[in-house]
Amino acid sequence: MDQEKIASFVKKIKTKTKLILKDLKNANLIIDLLACAQEENKLILCASCQALGTVFLHYVSAKPFLKGDKTAVSAEDANKEDQVSSWLKDQFTATCDVLCDFLSHESLEVKKSSLKVISSLLQTNEVNSSQNVVGILIEGIIGQLIKSDIDQTDIIGEVPVLWNATDKSSALISLCLVHIRKQMKSVVQPALDIFQRNCWKLIKQIASQDLDDKCRRQLTSVICDFLKQKMSANLYKDILTGISVVMEKMSSPLRLTDFLSESFNIGGAISLMSLHGLFILMHKYNLDYPDFYAKLYSMFRPQIFSAKYRARFFHLADTFLSSTHLPSYLVAAFAKRLSRLSLHAPASAVHIAIPFIFNLIARHPSLEVMIGRTNLPSELTSDPYIPDEKEPANCKALDSCLWELQTLEHHYDPSISQKAQKRKVAEQDLSSILETTTSDIISSYAKKIKKDTIPLNFVKINGLTLAGNFVL
C-alpha cells in the first residue's frame, strides 16, 4: 500500500471517529474501526487504535454503560437505550481484545500506541470502578506481555505507564502479580526461555515501583515460584545480576537464601554473580553465613584475571573487604593471595591488583608490618605463607611479608613499577581502573612516543651508501 492510500485510509478513520462522537446514531461505524484494526500497515493500526480509544473514552465518560454485569437483553423487555448500552459493551470488549492483541505486534510503535490507549481507559472512573473490566484488561495485558513465543522486552519497559495512570496503582500491581502467577502455573514445564525472560523483565519492572505490604508479599511469592523453574545459564546470570535490586522490595528477602547459597556453591561465573546478593542478606538482613569470606578467598585464582566479569568481581571484593571491623588475619590473607597472583598476572590485571592491596592496607594499618619487614625470604619455600591453605585463618599471611611488591618494582611496565614502589598510599576509588585492558595500556604508551624519534632503519644512513656496499 502506497503512502497516498495509507494517508487516505487514516483520514477516513479520523472522519468516522468524528461522526461517532457527533451522534450516537453513527455508533455502527465502530465496527468499521474494528475492521481497520485488522490491517497490516502500522500507521493504519495506530490510527485505528487511537480512534477506538477516543470513541470509548467519550462514551465511558458520558454514560456509565460499563456498570453492572453483562447480561443478555431481549428485545421484548428492554428499551432501545438498554439495547444500545449492551451493544456498546460488546464492542468495548472487542476493543479491549484488539488493544491487548496489539501488545504483541511486531511494531513497537503499535505496541506503545495500544498501551497508551489502555492506560487512558484505566484513568476513567467508570472503568476503574468496574473490577470485571479491569480484570479482563489486566489479564489480557499480562497474557500478551509474557507470551512464550515473542520477546517483549521493549514494551515491558513501558508498562509503568499503566500504574502511573491511576491513583489505584497498588490494586493494579496486585492484579498483575496474580495473573503473572497464573500464567507461570499454566505454562507447561520446562518453560521456554523467552517466556521466562519476559516474566523476569516484568517482575523487575514491578519491583521498581513503590509497593505496599500486600504487593510485597505477592511479589515475594511470585519470585520464589519463578526461581523454582529450570532456566538457561544466561538467564540464570541475568537474574543473579539484578536480584539485589529486586530483593529490596520483597517482604522477606531471606527466602532467597537457599537460591543464592546454591548459586554460590556452583562455582565459576555463577558464584561470582551471587556474591552481591549474599552479602546484602548478611549485611542488611543478618544472615549467618560463616563460610562467605573463605569461599571468597578461594575465588582468588589466576583465572579471575581473564574472566569476563573481572571488573565486577574486584568491585564487589573491594566492597566486601571495606569494613574496618574485619580481623587483620583475614584481610592479610587476601592481600597476600592477590600479591602472589600478581607475579603471574597480565599487566592490565596488575594495574588493578596493586591499588586493591594498598586499599586493604589503608583500611587496616596493622597490615603495614607486612610491608615494613626487612627479613625477606631468600627462597620461596622459606616464606611462612601457605598458598594452598583453603582457610584464610590458617594460611599464616600475617606472619609473612609482601615481598611480591618489591618484585613488581622491576616490572617491565614502568607504571606498574612506579605503583609498586609507593608505600604510603591513601585509599582510592578503583572504579576508574577496573575496566583497564592491555589495549588501553598500549594505547597510552603509543600516545607518548614522539613521531620524529621513531627509527626507520636498522642502520643509520650515511649519504646514499648503506652497509654492505649497497648503493641506493
Side-chain angles (χ1 to χ4, degrees), residues 22 29 34-35 44 71 140 175 218 223 234 236 279 308 315 318 321-322 325 432-433 461 464:
K22 185 177 181 180
L29 294 176
L34 289 171
I44 296 176
T71 57
L175 202 54
Q218 287 179 301
I223 292 175
N234 289 333
Y236 200 101
F279 183 75
K308 179 180 178 181
H315 170 73
D318 187 58
L321 296 170
S322 61
H325 298 289
S432 60
I433 60 174
I461 298 176
L464 297 178

Side-chain angles (χ1 to χ4, degrees), residues 281-462:
L281 292 181
M282 294 169 56
H283 184 66
K284 291 186 176 181
Y285 303 101
N286 301 319
L287 173 67
D288 185 17
Y289 199 87
D291 295 333
F292 178 80
Y293 283 99
K295 290 187 177 181
L296 177 63
Y297 179 74
S298 67
M299 296 178 70
F300 277 80
R301 301 176 181 175
Q303 296 87 340
I304 198 63
F305 293 125
S306 57
K308 179 180 178 181
Y309 303 100
R310 182 184 71 180
R312 178 178 174 82
F313 173 77
F314 278 101
H315 170 73
L316 293 176
D318 187 58
T319 302
F320 303 153
L321 296 170
S322 61
S323 174
T324 56
H325 298 289
L326 294 174
S328 297
Y329 73 84
L330 178 65
V331 182
F334 283 94
K336 183 64 179 180
R337 169 68 73 92
L338 188 55
S339 62
R340 181 65 64 87
L341 292 175
S342 299
L343 296 178
H344 307 283
S348 59
V350 182
H351 274 284
I352 302 173
I354 294 178
F356 189 98
I357 294 170
F358 283 136
N359 273 359
L360 298 180
I361 297 174
R363 296 169 190 147
H364 298 267
S366 59
L367 268 61
E368 292 181 1
V369 66
M370 300 179 69
I371 296 179
R373 285 198 176 103
T374 56
N375 54 336
L376 302 179
S378 57
E379 296 181 1
L380 190 62
T381 54
S382 61
D383 190 342
Y385 173 67
I386 307 174
D388 297 331
E389 176 58 48
K390 296 181 179 180
E391 288 294 331
N394 302 328
C395 68
K396 298 183 179 180
L398 205 54
D399 297 334
S400 180
C401 62
L402 298 179
W403 57 265
E404 294 88 352
L405 292 180
Q406 289 194 4
T407 304
L408 291 175
E409 291 179 7
H410 306 284
H411 198 277
Y412 70 86
D413 187 340
S415 60
I416 291 179
S417 177
Q418 293 173 4
K419 287 182 178 180
Q421 290 174 11
K422 296 180 181 179
R423 291 296 178 263
K424 292 288 184 179
V425 180
E427 184 177 350
Q428 60 176 307
D429 183 12
L430 300 181
S431 58
S432 60
I433 60 174
L434 289 178
E435 301 289 347
T436 302
T437 63
T438 303
S439 299
D440 296 332
I441 298 173
I442 295 175
S443 298
S444 64
Y445 283 118
K447 293 178 181 178
K448 298 178 182 179
I449 298 176
K450 297 181 180 179
K451 296 182 180 180
D452 56 349
T453 61
I454 299 177
L456 301 178
N457 297 282
F458 289 104
V459 180
K460 186 176 181 180
I461 298 176
N462 294 319

Side-chain angles (χ1 to χ4, degrees), residues 6 15 20 27 124 150 157 174 241 247 305 330 332 348-349 388 412 442:
I6 294 174
T15 302
I20 296 172
T124 60
I150 300 175
S174 176
T241 302
M247 69 168 59
F305 293 125
L330 178 65
S348 59
D388 297 331
Y412 70 86
I442 295 175

